[in-house]
Amino acid sequence: MNRAAPTRPRSGALPALLFALCATPAFASPDLDPLAEKGRQIMQAAECTRCHGVTDAAATAGVGRGIAPIERAMNCVTCHQWILGTKGDPAAIARQRQTFPDWDRYLDNIVHFRRLPDLGTLTRRVDPAFVRRFLDAPFDLRPHLDESMIPLRLSADDKDAVVAYLTALNGDAAVKRGRAGEAAVGPERIEAGRQAFLTAGCPTCHVMGAEPLVPGYGPAFFAAMGDRALLAPDLRFVRDRIPRATLVRFIVQPTAVDPRSTMPPLGVSPERAGQIADFLLHAPVKDGPAPQVAIDEAKPLSRQVTWDEVFEEVLGLICVHCHMNPESNDGDGGAGNTGGLGFAGLQLDLETYAGVKRGLVRDGRRVSIVEPPRPGEPPLLLAALLRRHAEAGRDVRPPYSGRRADAAGPDPQRPGMPLGLPPLPPEKVRMIATWLAQGAPGPAGR
Ligand code: HEC
Ligand code: HEC
Ligand code: HEC
Ligand code: HEC
């Protein structure tokens, strides 16, 4: 899709106005043991609530021991939801247009960060030991969701504290470790479970590794399911996440386990739920190779690439949201510039040509992102895009693609770009590579 309209006003300046209109919520006083309280504070400092809700299901009013969502001006999810919430409401859109002339473009452009899992009730369903491992090496759990969990720059102790907090939030309702009491399961029982799983309609939202469940249920089908399927995990990981008893209860009535669950109850009897649970826990899983994208960045396009193209199709569309020009945004340049999401920031502004040419700051020194750091090496801008492709085997998997055991996840010290989003399509990487090889010309060829 080409949205190029080179003369239109840029996005960065608008969110600045949006930011200014937002209110700040109040904080609650916690009632947690010291380790859990430490975890709560770490999550606040790392800004997990820019993306996740952290609800305290036991709170009758306010946030209780949960964490209040970061104000909308900073919140990737609630701001996008606010904007998309006016879709189909001509009066509301007309009202917003008076302040934000590009409101209609926002409605067209925003697809990501509008619905992410709540972490507050997670340990009612998921073993805290899994959560701890996930924080070390996050991977693609939800194949219908484009976005990825970001790598964390937290110490082992800090991650322990985070998990202690997420566990304490649910008190006695949190999953206990261990798989005691699980009997061996034979192939007939697994097959009965598979049939029950198919009959109950589970594959309309869920996949299970690379196992082909229902012909025709591919990425297009799941996209058409929309929000109902968006957050449905790949059930291939259930055996690492959910003990059997919890699993059976969840299948019968999701909200009986997790009051925040958005999975609809499907009227499955406890007996059938038991069969399905045994299928999910014991069926052999297929882990096919994930598709690998070949990017021939060494073969440049045989045409001139302009700054406008680079900006309209990549930097201004995707990257500015974390690499803004702080001057047009009340000093906030985003996570990759002035810092955020647990990162210190590299003072990298991708909203202006001057910013791109200025490059980033590492160890107190300005470093170019458009020139090779050493002869024969890709410029840092290209290297970051290629790293994201390398991470994708573990971090971005289409349904039924399986899991590549050999794929490395993002390195928190050097994450690929765009952070938390799918890699750029190969043709866009090639476009950037060509622009760089042509000397990274600026507006009107400067
Ligand atoms: C930029 C947005 C973003 C931020 C900030 C973020 N996350 Fe996530 N997180 C995600 C996304 C997207 C997923 C879903 C990944 C998936 O399921 O494929 C996720 C998933 C998770 C999960 C797995 C949930 C499950 O179902 O098991 C945990 C745990 C988690 N995040 C913890 C954290 C913590 C702790 C922080 C802060 C230190 C944090 N996240 C910050 C985007 C974010
Ligand atoms: C104050 C409101 C606001 C906040 C906060 C916000 N965004 Fe956005 N976001 C927007 C608007 C408006 C657009 C559309 C811009 C345009 O069309 O030029 C957008 C578009 C995007 C896009 C491109 C479209 C898409 O869905 O892929 C990405 C990526 C994005 N935002 C990421 C983020 C991330 C990550 C965060 C949190 C770190 C964030 N945004 C926080 C308002 C916001
Ligand atoms: C309409 C879509 C839909 C259907 C149909 C559906 N689910 Fe789900 N399921 C979801 C969503 C969405 C979630 C995530 C819920 C949440 O995070 O609260 C989920 C979560 C789960 C989980 C938790 C997995 C994990 O790793 O955390 C299990 C187990 C599960 N579903 C099993 C089933 C079974 C078994 C069936 C069929 C009886 C089924 N689902 C049918 C949407 C669906
Ligand atoms: C969700 C936020 C986010 C998005 C979106 C994003 N970045 Fe980043 N970017 C970061 C963070 C955070 C860092 C690392 C900051 C640090 O090290 O403190 C970073 C670092 C970088 C670096 C330096 C890499 C190095 O050599 O260490 C480059 C280059 C970069 N980003 C380019 C991009 C490009 C190009 C895009 C769009 C395709 C993009 N970023 C999108 C957050 C983001």
Side-chain angles (χ1 to χ4, degrees), residues 232-315:
D234 182 342
L235 297 182
R236 176 238 180 283
F237 302 111
V238 159
R239 60 194 65 188
D240 305 327
R241 284 163 65 76
I242 311 179
R244 189 176 187 280
T246 311
L247 181 56
V248 174
R249 276 199 300 134
F250 185 86
I251 295 170
V252 172
Q253 176 54 269
T255 48
V257 173
D258 176 353
R260 304 269 316 166
S261 178
T262 53
M263 170 161 143
L266 289 157
V268 180
S269 70
E271 196 209 330
R272 296 219 114 194
Q275 289 176 334
I276 294 176
D278 285 334
F279 164 66
L280 295 177
L281 293 171
H282 300 286
V285 283
K286 280 205 185 79
D287 278 339
Q292 250 186 322
V293 189
I295 301 175
D296 202 352
E297 86 279 358
K299 224 162 73 213
L301 303 172
S302 55
R303 63 175 179 84
Q304 207 61 38
V305 174
T306 65
W307 160 255
D308 282 353
E309 220 177 314
V310 167
F311 188 78
E312 292 294 333
E313 291 185 25
V314 177
L315 302 184

Side-chain angles (χ1 to χ4, degrees), residues 153 314-315 318-319 322-323 335-336 341 343-346 348 350 360 362 369 380-381 384-385 387 414 417-419 421 424:
R153 271 189 201 166
V314 177
L315 302 184
I318 302 167
C319 318
C322 294
H323 293 275
L341 308 176
F343 293 86
L346 293 170
L348 176 57
L350 299 177
L360 54 79
R362 204 190 304 281
I369 62 161
L380 298 185
L381 173 56
L385 299 176
R387 273 202 302 278
R414 249 11 229 288
M417 294 290 138
L419 184 77
L421 284 161
L424 293 189

Side-chain angles (χ1 to χ4, degrees), residues 25-102:
F27 272 65
S29 56
D31 163 27
L32 294 160
D33 70 59
L35 183 63
E37 173 54 23
K38 178 182 163 198
R40 198 180 85 108
Q41 286 173 12
I42 288 163
M43 286 185 70
Q44 252 163 358
E47 302 182 322
C48 311
T49 52
R50 280 212 204 195
C51 290
H52 294 286
V54 186
T55 346
D56 178 356
T60 45
V63 294
R65 298 163 313 156
I67 305 178
I70 284 189
E71 59 193 291
R72 190 170 75 199
M74 305 269 287
N75 195 308
C76 314
V77 174
T78 56
C79 185
H80 288 190
Q81 278 173 348
W82 170 55
I83 295 168
L84 293 173
T86 63
K87 241 183 193 163
D89 182 348
I93 294 174
R95 228 175 9 255
Q96 296 298 350
R97 253 193 230 124
Q98 295 176 354
T99 324
F100 310 108
D102 292 326

